[in-house]
């Protein structure tokens, strides 16, 4: 086809299944505002024409700050249809980081609800670049209202405006910001080709078919549902705190709409799994559960798996904002085989690379690599940095030349992306994840990998999670461990737990030299998934405890 616009999936699905629900929004009032595919396609067409009449045209960088709902979906697809550039930032990252990201992305248009516009004005977000403002509610204090757009369109140019503009392979479609859990958030450049490759990969990998129903607990991933022909059920939850989701509300949506797919962070699945066990409930309609954003503990898989009807299982795709999906593994393989090796400190098996992805392990360095060389890949079982190549792999960061140079390795007409993660390949070609490169600890000639070390100590019955950190003592760097106990642990002496942790660590060479333990009441985690541990903050906290 001449155009490769990611939004083309919507009119194709609207023609195929016009009366099928595309988006359903659960509210606390238990009503369910919705769009059919025909309605969503029509609404996004009208918005696309109105937005263009208001000045949002092809190439306009447009910040969209709305909670998930009908307007969010209609506007996102309208922007894609126009060929505008969607800027998506997780508001849960905090006002300071959010303002910094907006300043870096330089949006020319800002679409949001009333609260977003008040914050934009008070905090002067991207003031030099924004020239078009649209408020979703009927409130004209800060610019056009969404309801004004049809009138603006009618008063605009004599010739009719197209709802869909031609876009091509490498045209910019979006700037999606990383969570910032491992550093300053960066704006990842997405082309229409990247999005289309992701849709194709997800559809093929998990055999998703039109007419299925998706319980979408992560807003940006929910945008894939209409492109895949699924009904997106948007639950009534705080999307910035998935670990605090109300499982009862979630299960109301499950019981009513019988979803076939669910995407949830490990923190959300952990809470839901506990609820299902306590209430002796099942989710038999599900064909698959997807979880990403951080490693999914074996215990979470064990909690949730009995609630599914075989052969349904939990899939844990591996990837990042810059490249997704890269690998995938199912819960049955983890529970039957690889989970036992994880507990022995071998890392977490994340499965083989998905179709279309070329993956290698290269030597560990924090320096840029100017060109790809055939001698860079390491042999099986050698631990190094994971690098990937493929159509769903993004080419760079917006206005971050240095970060792009560090993350990309030119390879002829293509490139490899450095995931910033460490791992190794086994003899079957499966990838084993050992932790973030920045989280490794170098001490006295030994290298310690976060995930490998933590998994050994996480087997303790009273331990909820642990975090490997570097500790400075007498001018030397030593490996240490921060420990968060399971909720409700009160009567066990910490000295006893330390002795038991030392005994666990003595069982592997990787953990035998870890002698310092710090008990933290509640680990700081990322806002997007509530699962990625802020080890840098924990390291600073532990160092203060030594004073």
């Amino acid at each position: 086809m001449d155009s490769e616009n990611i939004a083309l999936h919507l009119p194709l699905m609207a023609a195929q299944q016009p009366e099928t629900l595309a988006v359903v929004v659960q509210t606390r009032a238990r009503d369910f505002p919705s769009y059919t595919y025909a309605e969503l396609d029509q609404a996004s067409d009208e918005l696309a024409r109105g937005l263009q009449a208001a000045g949002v045209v092809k190439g306009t960088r447009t910040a969209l700050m709305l909670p998930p709902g009908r307007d969010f979906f209609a506007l996102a697809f309208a922007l894609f249809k126009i060929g505008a550039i969607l800027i998506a930032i997780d508001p849960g990252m905090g006002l300071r980081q959010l303002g910094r990201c907006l300043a870096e992305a330089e949006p020319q248009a800002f679409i949001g609800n009333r609260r977003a516009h008040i914050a934009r004005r008070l905090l002067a977000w991207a003031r030099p670049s924004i020239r078009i403002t649209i408020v979703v509610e009927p409130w004209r204090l800060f610019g056009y209202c969404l309801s004004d757009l049809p009138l603006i369109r009618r008063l605009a140019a004599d010739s009719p405006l197209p709802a869909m503009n031609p876009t091509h392979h490498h045209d910019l479609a979006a700037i999606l910001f990383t969570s910032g859990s491992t550093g300053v958030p960066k704006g990842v450049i997405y082309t229409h080709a990247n999005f289309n490759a992701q849709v194709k990969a997800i559809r093929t990998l998990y055999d998703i078919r039109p007419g299925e129903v998706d319980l979408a607990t992560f807003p940006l991933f929910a945008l894939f549902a209409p492109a895949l022909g699924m009904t997106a059920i948007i639950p009534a939850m705080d999307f910035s705190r998935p670990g605090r989701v109300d499982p009862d509300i979630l299960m109301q949506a499950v019981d009513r709409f019988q979803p076939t797919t669910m995407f949830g962070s490990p923190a959300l699945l952990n809470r839901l799994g506990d609820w299902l066990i306590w209430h002796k409930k099942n989710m038999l309609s599900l064909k698959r559960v997807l979880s990403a954003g951080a490693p999914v503990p074996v215990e979470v898989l064990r909690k949730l798996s009995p609630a599914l009807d075989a052969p349904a299982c939990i899939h844990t795709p591996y990837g990042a904002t810059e490249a997704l999906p890269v690998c995938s593994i199912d819960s049955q393989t983890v529970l039957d085989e690889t989970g036992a090796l994880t507990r022995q400190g071998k890392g977490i098996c994340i499965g083989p690379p998905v179709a279309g992805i070329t993956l290698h392990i290269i030597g560990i360095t924090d320096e840029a690599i100017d060109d790809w060389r055939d001698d860079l890949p390491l042999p099986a079982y050698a631990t190094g940095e994971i690098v990937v190549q493929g159509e769903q792999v993004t080419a760079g960061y917006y206005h971050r030349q240095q970060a792009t140079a560090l993350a990309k390795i030119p390879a002829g007409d293509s490139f490899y992306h450095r995931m910033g993660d460490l791992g190794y390949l086994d003899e079957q070609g499966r990838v084993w994840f050992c932790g973030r490169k920045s989280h490794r600890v170098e001490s006295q000639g030994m290298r310690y990998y976060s995930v490998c070390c933590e998994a050994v100590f996480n087997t303790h019955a009273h331990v909820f999670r642990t975090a490997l950190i570097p500790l400075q003592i007498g001018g030397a760097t030593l490996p240490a461990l921060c420990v968060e106990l399971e909720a409700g642990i009160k009567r066990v002496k910490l000295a006893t737990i330390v002795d038991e942790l030392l005994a666990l660590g003595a069982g592997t060479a990787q953990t035998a030299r870890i002698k310092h333990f710090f008990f933290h009441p509640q680990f700081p985690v990322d806002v997007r998934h509530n699962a990625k541990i802020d080890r840098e903050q924990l390291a600073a906290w532990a160092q203060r405890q030594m004073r």
Side-chain angles (χ1 to χ4, degrees), residues 125-190:
W125 287 342
R127 180 178 290 169
S129 63
I130 294 174
R131 54 183 177 79
I132 301 167
T133 56
I134 298 171
V135 188
V136 172
E137 294 99 333
W139 197 52
R140 293 181 176 82
L141 183 60
F142 292 144
Y144 296 128
C145 298
L146 210 59
S147 57
D148 293 334
L149 296 183
L151 176 61
I152 294 170
R153 178 203 162 195
R154 287 195 294 271
L155 296 175
D158 296 333
S159 59
L161 295 165
M164 182 84 70
N165 286 321
T167 55
H168 302 289
H169 193 75
H170 294 298
D171 283 352
L172 193 56
I175 301 171
L176 307 183
F177 276 82
T178 60
S179 65
S181 57
T182 55
V184 178
K186 299 183 288 291
V188 180
I189 296 172
Y190 264 79

Side-chain angles (χ1 to χ4, degrees), residues 7-19:
L8 279 171
H9 292 280
L10 180 57
L12 289 173
M13 287 298 170
Q16 183 177 331
Q17 47 182 26
E19 300 307 314

Side-chain angles (χ1 to χ4, degrees), residues 13-337:
M13 287 298 170
Q16 183 177 331
Q17 47 182 26
E19 300 307 314
T20 297
L21 291 173
V23 181
V24 180
V25 182
Q26 180 189 27
T27 68
R28 295 285 178 176
R30 299 195 181 188
D31 59 336
F32 296 89
S34 63
Y35 270 141
T36 65
Y37 267 91
E39 290 168 341
L40 178 59
D41 189 40
Q42 181 178 354
S44 59
D45 275 356
E46 287 298 311
L47 285 171
R49 294 187 177 100
L51 287 168
Q52 289 177 93
V56 179
V57 296
K58 183 176 180 180
T60 302
R61 294 185 301 279
T62 307
L64 180 61
M65 293 193 63
L66 286 177
R70 295 199 314 163
D71 288 338
F72 174 80
F73 278 82
L75 281 163
F77 276 96
L79 292 172
F80 288 142
K81 286 180 175 182
I82 292 169
I85 301 165
L86 169 67
I87 299 172
I89 305 172
D90 191 333
M93 69 172 55
L95 294 178
R96 183 178 179 183
Q97 291 279 54
L98 201 155
R100 182 174 179 175
C101 292
L102 283 170
E104 191 168 286
E106 298 178 324
Q108 298 153 306
F110 188 101
I111 305 174
N113 57 16
R114 189 179 308 184
R115 290 179 61 187
H117 279 279
I118 291 173
R120 174 184 63 80
R121 287 289 294 271
L122 289 177
L123 300 173
W125 287 342
R127 180 178 290 169
S129 63
I130 294 174
R131 54 183 177 79
I132 301 167
T133 56
I134 298 171
V135 188
V136 172
E137 294 99 333
W139 197 52
R140 293 181 176 82
L141 183 60
F142 292 144
Y144 296 128
C145 298
L146 210 59
S147 57
D148 293 334
L149 296 183
L151 176 61
I152 294 170
R153 178 203 162 195
R154 287 195 294 271
L155 296 175
D158 296 333
S159 59
L161 295 165
M164 182 84 70
N165 286 321
T167 55
H168 302 289
H169 193 75
H170 294 298
D171 283 352
L172 193 56
I175 301 171
L176 307 183
F177 276 82
T178 60
S179 65
S181 57
T182 55
V184 178
K186 299 183 288 291
V188 180
I189 296 172
Y190 264 79
T191 64
H192 286 270
N194 292 141
F195 278 131
N196 279 312
Q198 284 185 327
V199 170
K200 179 181 177 181
I202 292 168
R203 179 192 293 121
T204 303
L205 187 59
Y206 302 117
D207 190 28
I208 295 174
R209 304 183 183 188
E212 293 200 42
V213 180
D214 176 39
L215 182 60
T217 66
F218 181 53
L220 285 178
F221 200 82
L223 286 173
F224 284 112
L228 291 163
M230 292 194 289
T231 299
I233 308 298
I234 310 301
M237 62 176 283
D238 183 348
F239 291 94
S240 68
R241 294 178 173 83
R244 300 182 187 178
V245 67
D246 183 346
D248 188 61
I249 296 292
L250 212 59
M251 287 303 294
Q252 289 176 23
V254 170
D255 292 339
R256 175 158 181 164
F257 293 101
Q258 297 293 293
T260 57
T261 299
M262 175 183 174
F263 182 95
S265 78
L268 181 146
L269 295 188
N270 183 55
R271 187 174 177 88
L272 178 60
D274 285 337
W275 188 93
L276 290 168
I277 292 170
W278 178 260
H279 292 274
K280 298 180 180 179
K281 295 283 188 179
N282 296 310
M283 299 188 295
L284 301 182
S285 66
L286 288 171
K287 294 181 179 180
R288 63 192 77 80
V289 175
L290 306 181
S291 186
V296 183
V298 173
E299 283 305 312
V300 173
L301 301 179
R302 189 171 286 120
K303 287 177 186 178
L304 201 61
S305 292
L308 306 179
D309 190 17
C313 60
I314 305 157
H315 300 270
T316 55
Y318 163 76
T321 307
E322 297 90 336
L324 183 75
V326 169
C327 299
S328 187
I329 194 170
D330 64 82
S331 54
Q332 198 64 49
T333 303
V334 174
L335 294 174
D336 290 349
E337 179 193 350

